Amino acid sequence: PTLRGSIAVSLAGDQAQALVRVSPETGRGGDQRRDADKVQRWLSWALKVGHTKLGLDLAGDSSARLDDIAKVMAESRPSLGKFTGKELGRFIEAEDRAGRFIVSSNGTLKKVPRGLRLPRRHLQQR
C-alpha cells in the first residue's frame, strides 16, 4: 500500500523533538478495517435492513440461507470476495470473535442482537 504521513517538530529550549506518523493510504474515508470486519459489517447490514434492497429472502426468524447470501454478496460487493455458502459459514465461524452471527447446521445465518452476543472464546486467543 501507499504510505502517507506527517511530521511535527517541537522546539523547547535546546531540545528539538520530532514526531513522525506514517499510515497506509487507504482511499475512501480512511477505512482501515480488516477485510473480515468489512464482510461482517456488510452481513449485518444485509440481514438487518439491506435484504429488501438486495432481494434476499429472510425466514420468519430473520435468518437467510448462506448460499443465497454468498450469491448476493458476490453480485453487490465483489470486492469482499467470492464464497460458496459453506465457505462463508466457515469464514464466519473462523473470524466472528464478537459472536455477531449464528451459523446453523441447516445452512442458514442469523444476526445476533448486540445484547445477546457471546464472544467465541476459541477465537479470543489468536
Side-chain angles (χ1 to χ4, degrees):
T2 304
L3 297 178
R4 68 176 176 186
S6 61
I7 299 173
V9 178
S10 172
L11 300 174
D14 295 354
Q15 298 179 348
Q17 294 180 343
L19 171 65
V20 178
R21 285 186 290 209
V22 179
S23 62
E25 178 72 45
T26 56
R28 259 192 258 168
D31 183 16
Q32 296 181 7
R33 283 179 260 158
R34 294 177 23 238
D35 290 341
D37 288 337
K38 289 180 184 180
V39 170
Q40 291 178 52
R41 290 178 190 275
W42 183 89
L43 290 169
S44 292
W45 170 81
L47 291 171
K48 188 173 181 180
V49 295
H51 56 90
T52 304
K53 179 180 179 181
L54 297 167
L56 184 62
D57 292 328
L58 295 187
D61 65 349
S62 299
S63 66
R65 291 177 9 100
L66 282 163
D67 288 332
D68 294 343
I69 296 169
K71 180 180 177 202
V72 169
M73 187 171 76
E75 292 169 357
S76 70
R77 289 290 304 275
S79 64
L80 295 178
K82 188 170 183 176
F83 296 90
T84 65
K86 286 183 180 182
E87 290 169 340
L88 184 58
R90 285 193 300 264
F91 177 83
I92 293 164
E93 289 178 343
E95 297 294 335
D96 179 23
R97 294 179 184 193
R100 290 177 178 155
F101 305 99
I102 295 173
V103 178
S104 70
S105 59
N106 67 353
T108 61
L109 181 70
K110 182 176 180 177
K111 186 178 183 306
V112 178
R114 187 164 290 176
L116 301 176
R117 294 177 185 169
L118 297 173
R120 296 178 195 259
R121 301 225 184 273
H122 67 281
L123 296 176
Q124 299 300 320
Q125 282 78 34
R126 285 204 282 159

